[in-house]
C-alpha cells in the first residue's frame, strides 16, 4: 500500500514532471486532467477541481463543480512518455463541493458496494479479469483498417502469430507499471490476443483494467497497429470477452473454498453463485453495455447465452475453474471489455451479496453442452436465457430492485438515458447488411 507521503517521495526520486488526475465517466471511458508536479500537494489535498458538465453521466451545467480525490495506491508512471516530460497518473474518486462522494462516480459506487462486504464480516472481495482484444492494421494516418494483424489461432506461435512482438512489449510496459503479468497468448480468433494479470482487491482490479486498456491501445500504436476492445469486431468469428473471476476472503482464507462442499465450494460460494444467476439479466446490462455486445452473446463462439453454471464445460454463464484452496473462484463469463469495470463488478457483487443474505442456493450444475440440449431439456433444468439485446437488458436492469438499489437510481437513470440514445441511433442507422439483404427486394 502507498500513502500520500510515499507519492511525494516517488515523485521526487523519479523526477516526475506532470501528473495525470484520472477518473472514469459514467460509461467507463477513462478521462484525465494534467497538472504540473508543482501542484502535487494540491492534488493530494483533494483541491483539483473539474467541471463535470461535459462528462457523460455526471452533472448538469448549473451545478457542475467537482473535486478529484486521488488514491495514492493507483500511482503509476507512464513508461511510454519521454523522461524529460516524465508523467505519472493517479486514479481519483469524484466528490461534490461539500466533500461527499458524487453519487454518479463509478469508482465511488463500487466502493460503496464493497463496504457491504465488510458489513457481512468478510474482508476482501477479489477480482481477476481477463480482457481480450483485437489488433488491426493501421493505415498511413494511424487510423484502423478492417484488416486484422494476423490469421493466427489459439496459442499459435510465430510466424502465424504476428502479434508476439507487440504483446511482449505491452507485457514489459505493464510489468514496469506494476502489473503482475501471469501469461500472454494469441486468442482463438484471427488478430485476437490476451494478456492475463494477477487478481487483486476488486477496486484495484477495476483500476487496473482501466490502465490495461490504455496501455494496450498506446503500445499497439508503436507497432503500426490499432487495438480494439469492441466485443464483436468481425462477423462469424469469436468476439472479445472480459471474464471476471470472483472470490471472497476472510483473514487471508478463501471462504469460497470447502473441500467437503459440492464441487469443492462452500455454502457461501453457492449462495453467492445463486445470487449472480438470479440477477444475471440485470448484470448483463452493465457487463455487456453496448449494441455490439449482444452480437458476441450468441451460440457457437464460446460466449454464454444461458443462465447456468458448471465446472468443466465452458458454455454456461458461470464456470468454476479447476484450482481450489486460494484459487477457488467463480468465473463470470458474460462480460466484455466495453463494460465500465467499476459498475460491472459492483453489480456482480451486489447480486452475490443478495444471494448470501437471502440464501439463494445455486441450482444444480449443468455439465452438458447446453447448446446441444433441446428447449424442453433446458426448461426441465430451469435454464433461462440472457437478454438478447441491449434494449432488453436495460429493461431487465430497471426491473431489478436489488441491482438498481446497489448502483443507485441516479446512475441507473443516467445510464438508461445514455443507452436509450445509443439504441435510437442504431435503430435509425441503415447498415451494410440491410443493403445486401434488401437492395433487390
Ligand atoms: P482461464 O482458465 O479462463 O484461462 P485462469 O485460470 O488462467 O483463466 O485465471 C484467470 C484469472 O483468474 C487470473 O487473472 C488470475 O489471477 C485469477 N484468479 C486466480 N485466483 C483467483 C481468486 N482466488 N480470485 C479471483 N481471481 C483469481
Ligand atoms: Mg481468453
Ligand atoms: Mg477465463
Amino acid at each position: 500500500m502507498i500513502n500520500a507521503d510515499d507519492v511525494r517521495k516517488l515523485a521526487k526520486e523519479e523526477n516526475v514532471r506532470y501528473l495525470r488526475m484520472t477518473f472514469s465517466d459514467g460509461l467507463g471511458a477513462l478521462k484525465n486532467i494534467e497538472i504540473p508536479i508543482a501542484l502535487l500537494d494540491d492534488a493530494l489535498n483533494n483541491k483539483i477541481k473539474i467541471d463535470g458538465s461535459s462528462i457523460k453521466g455526471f452533472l448538469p451545467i448549473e451545478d457542475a463543480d467537482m473535486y478529484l480525490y486521488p488514491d495514492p495506491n493507483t500511482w503509476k508512471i507512464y513508461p511510454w512518455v519521454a523522461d524529460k516530460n516524465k508523467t505519472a497518473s493517479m486514479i481519483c474518486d469524484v466528490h461534490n463541493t461539500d466533500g461527499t462522494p458524487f453519487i454518479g462516480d463509478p469508482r465511488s459506487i463500487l466502493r460503496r458496494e464493497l463496504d457491504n462486504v465488510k458489513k457481512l464480516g468478510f474482508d476482501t472481495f477479489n477480482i481477476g479479469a481477463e480482457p481480450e482484444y483485437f489488433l488491426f492494421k493501421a493505415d498511413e494516418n494511424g487510423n484502423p483498417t478492417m484488416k486484422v494483424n494476423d490469421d493466427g489461432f489459439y496459442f499459435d506461435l510465430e510466424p502465424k502469430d504476428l502479434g508476439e512482438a507487440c504483446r511482449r512489449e505491452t507485457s514489459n510496459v505493464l510489468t514496469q507499471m506494476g502489473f503482475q503479468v501471469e501469461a500472454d497468448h494469441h486468442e482463438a480468433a484471427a488478430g485476437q490476443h490476451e494478456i492475463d494479470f494477477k487478481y487483486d482487491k476488486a477496486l484495484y482490479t477495476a483500476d487496473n483494467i482501466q490502465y490495461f486498456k490504455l496501455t494496450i491501445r498506446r503500445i499497439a500504436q508503436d507497432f503500426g497497429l490499432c487495438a480494439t476492445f469492441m466485443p464483436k469486431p468481425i462477423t462469424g468469428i469469436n468476439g472479445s470477452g472480459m471474464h471476471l473471476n470472483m472470490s471472497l476472503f476472510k483473514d487471508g482464507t478463501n471462504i469460497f473454498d470447502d473441500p467437503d462442499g459440492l464441487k469443492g465450494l462452500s455454502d457461501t460460494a453457492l449462495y453467492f453463485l445463486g445470487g449472480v444467476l438470479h440477477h444475471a439479466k440485470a448484470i448483463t446490462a452493465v457487463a455487456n453495455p453496448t449494441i455490439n455486445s449482444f452480437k458476441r452473446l450468441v451460440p457457437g463462439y464460446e460466449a454464454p447465452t444461458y443462465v447456468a453454471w458448471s465446472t468443466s464445460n465452458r458454455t454456461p454463464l458461470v464456470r468454476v475453474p479447476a484450482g481450489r484452496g486460494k484459487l477457488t473462484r467463480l468465473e463470470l463469463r458474460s462480460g466484455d471489455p466495453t463494460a465500465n469495470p467499476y459498475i460491472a463488478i459492483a453489480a456482480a457483487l451486489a447480486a452475490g451479496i443478495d444471494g448470501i443474505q437471502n440464501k439463494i442456493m445455486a441450482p444444480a450444475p449443468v455439465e452438458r453442452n447446453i447448446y446441444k440440449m433441446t428447449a424442453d431439456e433446458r426448461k426441465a433444468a430451469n435454464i433461462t436465457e440472457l437478454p438478447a439485446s441491449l434494449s432488453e437488458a436495460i429493461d431487465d436492469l430497471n426491473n431489478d430492485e436489488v441491482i438498481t438499489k446497489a448502483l443507485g437510481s441516479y446512475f441507473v437513470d443516467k445510464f438508461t438515458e445514455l443507452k436509450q440514445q445509443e439504441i435510437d441511433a442504431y435503430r435509425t442507422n441503415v447498415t451494410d447488411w440491410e443493403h445486401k439483404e434488401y437492395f433487390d427486394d
Side-chain angles (χ1 to χ4, degrees):
M1 300 295 265
I2 300 176
N3 63 29
D5 281 339
D6 297 330
V7 161
R8 286 185 185 93
K9 227 194 281 157
L10 285 168
K12 219 178 235 139
E13 274 169 22
E14 300 268 356
N15 206 11
V16 168
R17 306 286 301 275
Y18 292 98
L19 177 63
R20 304 287 184 96
M21 298 288 277
T22 309
F23 59 98
S24 298
D25 74 10
L27 297 184
L30 210 51
K31 297 280 163 185
N32 75 180
I33 176 170
E34 181 170 88
I35 58 169
I37 205 66
L39 296 181
L40 178 62
D41 277 328
D42 280 358
L44 291 168
N45 291 325
N46 311 323
K47 296 248 166 54
I48 303 299
K49 195 169 77 169
I50 57 159
D51 170 1
S53 64
S54 296
I55 307 288
K56 279 188 179 153
F58 278 24
L59 287 174
I61 281 174
E62 31 323 332
D63 180 21
D65 281 350
M66 312 179 106
Y67 286 88
L68 298 178
Y69 283 44
D71 182 338
N73 291 299
T74 64
W75 170 267
K76 299 232 184 286
I77 289 173
Y78 289 164
W80 55 84
V81 180
D83 274 357
K84 72 177 170 53
N85 292 326
K86 203 164 215 185
T87 300
S89 165
M90 280 190 284
I91 294 185
C92 310
D93 292 345
V94 181
H95 282 232
N96 302 308
T97 44
D98 67 3
T100 55
F102 166 51
I103 45 171
D105 171 35
R107 198 168 191 265
S108 301
I109 290 171
L110 176 55
R111 259 188 201 283
R112 195 176 62 209
E113 195 50 43
L114 286 165
D115 284 346
N116 293 329
V117 171
K118 297 253 156 62
K119 281 184 199 146
L120 279 176
F122 308 119
D123 49 40
T124 314
F125 180 55
N126 288 311
I127 292 280
E130 306 171 69
E132 296 167 332
Y133 61 96
F134 278 77
L135 292 173
F136 281 77
K137 289 181 175 148
D139 67 15
E140 61 278 9
N141 300 317
N143 294 319
T145 65
M146 281 309 294
K147 288 198 192 89
V148 287
N149 82 313
D150 64 27
D151 62 356
F153 186 62
Y154 197 60
F155 281 14
D156 267 343
L157 288 72
E158 276 176 331
K160 268 201 144 317
D161 173 6
L162 297 177
E164 261 187 27
C166 175
R167 226 174 42 237
R168 176 153 322 118
E169 180 55 18
T170 311
S171 292
N172 288 342
V173 169
L174 288 167
T175 305
Q176 282 175 52
M177 290 169 77
F179 280 76
Q180 285 180 265
V181 173
E182 291 187 327
D184 72 85
H185 60 89
H186 200 287
E187 253 299 336
Q192 194 186 28
H193 302 273
E194 179 171 323
I195 300 176
D196 292 317
F197 53 95
K198 193 172 182 216
Y199 71 93
D200 201 342
K201 292 177 179 170
L203 188 68
Y204 297 131
T205 294
D207 293 333
N208 279 338
I209 292 168
Q210 298 295 65
Y211 276 138
F212 179 89
K213 289 172 70 176
L214 173 73
T215 306
I216 298 286
R217 287 197 176 103
R218 180 60 192 78
I219 302 306
Q221 262 186 342
D222 291 346
F223 287 80
L225 299 167
C226 288
T228 181
F229 291 93
M230 74 183 281
K232 191 83 171 184
I234 301 168
T235 311
I237 61 173
N238 279 24
S240 293
M242 183 171 73
H243 298 164
L244 294 177
N245 294 268
M246 311 181 281
S247 63
L248 270 180
F249 276 56
K250 189 180 179 180
D251 302 326
T253 303
N254 187 339
I255 58 119
F256 276 1
D257 186 61
D258 179 358
D260 301 325
L262 174 68
K263 305 281 184 191
L265 297 173
S266 65
D267 277 355
T268 307
L270 292 167
Y271 291 142
F272 192 101
L273 174 56
V276 168
L277 298 180
H278 184 75
H279 295 288
K281 287 172 195 273
I283 295 171
T284 307
V286 290
N288 306 86
T290 59
I291 302 268
N292 187 249
S293 296
F294 292 85
K295 299 186 175 176
R296 168 177 164 263
L297 295 179
V298 296
Y301 301 99
E302 292 181 46
T305 60
Y306 295 109
V307 180
W309 71 284
S310 88
T311 48
S312 54
N313 98 59
R314 289 172 187 248
T315 54
L317 180 65
V318 178
R319 182 173 70 104
V320 184
R324 291 291 178 273
K326 265 213 167 19
L327 293 178
T328 307
R329 60 198 190 269
L330 305 173
E331 180 191 53
L332 178 63
R333 300 173 57 78
S334 55
D336 68 54
T338 55
N340 181 332
Y342 303 97
I343 298 297
I345 293 168
L349 176 58
I353 287 179
D354 187 47
I356 293 174
Q357 284 181 321
N358 293 304
K359 297 197 172 5
I360 307 175
M361 183 45 87
V366 180
E367 303 296 1
R368 296 175 56 188
N369 184 334
I370 306 178
Y371 298 123
K372 295 199 172 137
M373 292 167 76
T374 64
D376 283 343
E377 284 172 328
R378 287 198 300 269
K379 204 165 166 209
N382 256 330
I383 300 173
T384 55
E385 285 181 52
L386 289 176
S389 68
L390 180 58
S391 185
E392 257 182 61
I394 295 291
D395 286 347
D396 289 326
L397 170 63
N398 280 277
N399 290 331
D400 188 317
E401 269 177 40
V402 170
I403 305 300
T404 303
K405 188 158 170 263
L407 302 180
S409 57
Y410 183 92
F411 175 84
V412 173
D413 289 352
K414 289 265 176 204
F415 182 74
T416 302
E417 191 185 310
L418 289 164
K419 290 294 148 184
Q420 198 54 54
Q421 286 167 12
E422 205 172 307
I423 291 163
D424 288 343
Y426 182 65
R427 202 161 49 84
T428 52
N429 210 290
V430 180
T431 62
D432 290 350
W433 181 85
E434 286 158 282
H435 267 257
K436 283 196 199 106
E437 190 75 10
Y438 306 121
F439 201 86
D440 295 326
D441 280 6

